[in-house]
Amino acid sequence: MDFGLVLQTDPPASRVVSLMQRAERNGFRYGWTFDSAVLWQEPFVIHSRVLAHTQQLRVGPMVTNPSTRTWEVTASTFATLNDMYGNRTVCGIGRGDSAMRVAGRPPNTLARLGEAIDVIRDLAEGREARIDGHPIRIPWIRDGELPVWMAAYGPKALALAGRKADGFILQLADPYLTEWMVKSVREAAADAGRDPDAITICVAAPAYVGDDLAHARDQCRWFGGMVGNHVADLVARYGEHSSLVPEELTSYITSRHGYDYGHHGRAGNPSADFVPDEIVDRFCLLGPAQAHIAKLRALRDLGVDQFAVYAMHDAREHVIDTYGQRIIPAVNG
C-alpha cells in the first residue's frame, strides 16, 4: 500500500514544503494539497517547490475542479511541472466544493467534469483535444504523463469515475462504505469495457495517533463536516432514504444546519458540531498505532492502493513520524 500526505496550503509555503520533505523521508510516496484559491495559497506554485525539494514524491491537488482554471491552463500547468521534474504529478479532480462555493458558484455538473477529465489528460499528455469546439494541442509536450484521479461519493459520480478516471479518491475511511463504493467504481469500469483492477483506489482521511481518543476526535471532527457538504448534495438529489445511497453515509447529517467555509478543513470548526463521535471513528483513523495498522490492513484487503493522511490537526509531525517508523512498515511488511 502506498501512503500520501494531504495538507492545506496555509502560509508560509515553506512549512508545507518541509512537511512534504518529512513525509518523503518517512516513506510517503504522494504529497497532496487542497485547491481553493480564496481560502489558501495557490497550490501549483507550492507544488513546484515541493517537487524541487523532494526526490521521488508524486504531487497533486486533492482536489482541483474544472472551473477554477480553464482546462488548457490546468493541463499546461501539470505538463510544465512534469517537464521540469519528470512526470511526478497526479491530477486529483472533482466537482468542486469550497473552491466553487466560496466564490459564489455551484459545483460543476458531472457532465462537465467527465469532459474535463478527458480534455485535461489528453492535452497534458500531448494529444489534441477540443475545447468549446476548437481543436487544441500543446506543441511543446514530449512524453507527457498525467494520471487523473476522480473524487466521488454518489452513484452517478462513482459510475463516472469507473468509466473515465485512472484512479478513484474516496474521502473517508469507513470499511463498509469503502467496499460499497469501490465495488460501484469497478462495476462501472467493467461495464465500460475497462480493466477494473487498473483503477487506482485512494482512500483519504485524517489520522491521529495517540491514546486520548476524546482529543483525537475533537481534532478530526472537522472532517465529518467537510464530508457532510457532499452528503447534503446527495440527500438533496436522492432523498434521505434512497436505496441508491447507503444510510451509513447519509443519516448523520440530519442535525446539520449550514456550513461556514471560513473554518473549512480546520480543527475546532464550529460547523462540524453536529458530527457524532461514531462518525469520526468510522471516517478517520484514531487511537494507538496498532489500531491504525488493523484498519489499514482491512482497507488494503478491500482493494485500497493508497491511504492519504489528512494532517490538519495539532500533531502533524508526530503522525508523519509514527507512520514512517511503525505503521507503514507494519502494513507493508
Side-chain angles (χ1 to χ4, degrees), residues 47-69:
H47 291 174
S48 185
R49 295 287 292 175
V50 172
L51 288 162
H53 287 82
T54 55
Q55 282 68 55
Q56 297 183 354
L57 199 72
R58 298 183 70 92
V59 175
M62 188 177 281
V63 291
T64 193
N65 71 83
S67 291
T68 300
R69 307 167 189 83

Side-chain angles (χ1 to χ4, degrees), residues 206 208 213-223 266-268 280 312-315:
Y208 199 103
L213 280 178
H215 181 71
R217 287 170 180 144
D218 285 344
Q219 286 291 302
C220 299
R221 197 174 308 276
W222 64 265
F223 184 67
R266 299 190 184 281
V280 184
M312 277 63 80
H313 50 55
D314 63 3

Side-chain angles (χ1 to χ4, degrees), residues 31 46 48 90 96 117 134 137 158 164 177 208 234 264 282 294 311 333:
I46 298 171
S48 185
V90 182
I117 288 172
H134 299 284
R137 188 179 71 84
L158 295 169
K164 296 273 190 180
L177 292 172
Y208 199 103
L234 294 178
H264 187 59
R282 282 174 45 203

Side-chain angles (χ1 to χ4, degrees), residues 9 34-41 43 63 69 98-100 102 264:
T9 50
F34 280 40
D35 179 12
S36 191
V38 174
L39 296 178
W40 302 289
Q41 293 185 330
V63 291
R69 307 167 189 83
S98 62
M100 299 298 292
V102 167
H264 187 59

Side-chain angles (χ1 to χ4, degrees), residues 2-46:
D2 284 332
F3 287 82
L5 177 68
V6 189
L7 299 174
Q8 294 166 339
T9 50
D10 285 317
S14 59
R15 182 74 175 130
V16 178
V17 175
S18 67
L19 286 168
M20 292 296 187
Q21 291 177 300
R22 191 183 196 114
E24 184 177 54
R25 291 195 300 270
N26 276 284
F28 289 72
R29 295 191 60 234
Y30 286 78
W32 303 95
T33 69
F34 280 40
D35 179 12
S36 191
V38 174
L39 296 178
W40 302 289
Q41 293 185 330
E42 169 57 35
F44 288 103
V45 176
I46 298 171

Side-chain angles (χ1 to χ4, degrees), residues 44-220:
F44 288 103
V45 176
I46 298 171
H47 291 174
S48 185
R49 295 287 292 175
V50 172
L51 288 162
H53 287 82
T54 55
Q55 282 68 55
Q56 297 183 354
L57 199 72
R58 298 183 70 92
V59 175
M62 188 177 281
V63 291
T64 193
N65 71 83
S67 291
T68 300
R69 307 167 189 83
T70 60
W71 301 349
E72 70 273 18
V73 169
T74 298
S76 182
T77 301
F78 277 109
T80 301
L81 293 172
N82 282 336
D83 187 65
M84 293 172 68
Y85 301 109
N87 287 336
R88 288 169 53 201
T89 67
V90 182
C91 177
I93 194 167
R95 293 176 61 223
D97 178 30
S98 62
M100 299 298 292
R101 288 176 163 133
V102 167
R105 308 182 189 110
N108 292 269
T109 65
L110 288 176
R112 179 173 172 81
L113 175 57
E115 185 180 358
I117 288 172
D118 288 337
V119 169
I120 291 168
R121 183 198 291 117
D122 283 344
L123 289 177
E125 294 186 344
R127 295 183 294 276
E128 182 180 288
R130 298 184 74 86
I131 298 179
D132 297 328
H134 299 284
I136 295 175
R137 188 179 71 84
I138 302 175
W140 51 263
I141 294 176
R142 299 288 183 274
D143 302 319
E145 177 185 302
L146 183 64
V148 180
W149 297 7
M150 180 183 152
Y153 292 106
K156 291 183 179 179
L158 295 169
L160 178 63
R163 293 195 306 271
K164 296 273 190 180
D166 302 299
F168 164 50
I169 297 171
L170 173 57
Q171 291 161 311
L172 55 79
D174 176 73
Y176 173 81
L177 292 172
T178 298
E179 182 175 20
W180 182 81
M181 293 185 185
V182 169
K183 180 181 178 182
S184 297
V185 169
R186 288 187 165 152
E187 286 179 349
D191 290 344
R194 305 180 67 199
D195 178 1
D197 293 327
I199 298 175
T200 302
I201 307 297
C202 175
V203 162
Y208 199 103
V209 184
D211 295 325
D212 188 343
L213 280 178
H215 181 71
R217 287 170 180 144
D218 285 344
Q219 286 291 302
C220 299

